[in-house]
Amino acid sequence: MEDEVILLDMWASHFGMRVKIALAEKGIKYEHREENLENKSPLLLKMNPIHKKIPVLIHNEKPICESLIIVQYIDEVWRDNSPLLPSDPYQRAQARFWADYIDKKVYPCMRGIYSGKGEEQEKPKEEYQEVLKVLEGKLGEKPYFGGDSFGSVDLSFVTFYSWFYAMEELGNFSIKAQCPKLVAWAKR
Ligand code: GS8
């Protein structure tokens, strides 16, 4: 039986993009269903009754929620090509740690920068720059976060790259000057 894979998504979502990249890396065929978050579909409310958020992957009628969990699920189910997480348990734990760090730090700081006004912007602005420096250090001289090939940590972070420019403009700082390796990584 052919797998039925449906993605409930919203085009502009960084979190939905993670799932689309994982599906593309694996070459999985799926049906994309665009949600209107102002008027959520009964299917979204049924499949993610707890958070009521996209993305939701529905695999053979069973829902999986939360982008990082979906990416891990995809990697575990479609194991044969393009591994996203390392196979070694310690390295896997490290990859999860960094994806979690990105989740907890990058988006909340970005939100603070674009929605805060004046003084309110200062703290997230500083924190965002510190977080990027930490990630720049973690990347080091490697082409990708996990080493030589694109993996789950790259995937978790790369969807935020499209906002670098907006953050620089709003925050009045230069990511290119402070974190040249991250900028080179994002263009790879
Ligand atoms: C975040 C998903 C999310 O915020 C994940 O999947 O990683 N931790 C989750 N989804 C937003 C759209 S993207 O900004 C969403 O569905 N919002 C609808 C709502 O809050 O009602």
Side-chain angles (χ1 to χ4, degrees):
M1 192 191 83
E2 181 128 321
D3 281 304
E4 185 195 53
V5 183
I6 300 170
L7 176 63
L8 307 183
D9 186 26
M10 192 273 284
W11 68 273
S13 167
H14 300 282
F15 306 101
M17 277 174 216
R18 287 175 171 168
V19 178
K20 285 186 276 193
I21 296 171
L23 291 166
E25 283 286 313
K26 298 278 182 182
I28 300 163
K29 284 205 203 99
Y30 65 98
E31 182 189 333
H32 183 271
R33 291 200 197 164
E34 185 72 12
E35 282 288 331
N36 172 0
L37 297 180
E38 304 293 315
N39 181 18
K40 296 173 185 170
S41 71
L43 184 64
L44 174 58
L45 301 177
K46 181 173 163 210
M47 293 293 163
N48 191 354
I50 307 295
H51 296 307
K52 305 177 179 65
K53 289 184 178 189
I54 58 91
V56 179
L57 190 79
I58 310 173
H59 182 206
N60 297 334
E61 298 180 5
K62 293 190 302 239
I64 306 101
C65 303
E66 290 293 311
S67 60
L68 294 181
I69 295 173
I70 300 172
V71 169
Q72 289 181 26
Y73 176 84
I74 290 172
D75 200 38
E76 283 166 14
V77 173
W78 289 276
R79 292 157 66 155
D80 295 344
N81 51 345
S82 309
L84 296 169
L85 277 103
S87 53
D88 172 73
Y90 181 72
Q91 295 303 330
R92 277 174 89 77
Q94 290 302 305
R96 290 197 183 105
F97 172 88
W98 285 104
D100 181 61
Y101 174 81
I102 289 162
D103 239 25
K104 287 190 175 126
K105 296 287 185 183
V106 178
Y107 189 59
C109 289
M110 279 169 41
R111 212 175 34 215
I113 295 172
Y114 73 70
S115 59
K117 303 229 175 347
E119 281 287 289
E120 285 164 22
Q121 268 190 344
E122 290 310 310
K123 207 167 161 269
K125 227 168 89 174
E126 264 168 41
E127 199 183 356
Y128 180 73
Q129 291 174 82
E130 273 164 32
V131 168
L132 293 190
K133 277 189 207 140
V134 169
L135 291 169
E136 167 108 345
K138 168 66 190 154
L139 178 67
E141 301 305 324
K142 304 187 294 298
Y144 297 100
F145 279 92
D148 289 333
S149 54
F150 181 84
S152 61
V153 181
D154 304 285
L155 195 159
S156 309
F157 185 39
V158 76
T159 60
F160 297 123
Y161 169 66
S162 58
W163 279 53
F164 272 17
Y165 177 68
M167 293 297 108
E168 286 180 319
E169 289 291 301
L170 289 168
N172 198 22
F173 51 78
S174 166
I175 299 176
K176 202 171 179 178
Q178 292 175 24
C179 300
K181 289 177 200 155
L182 276 190
V183 173
W185 160 84
K187 292 191 170 154
R188 202 155 275 142

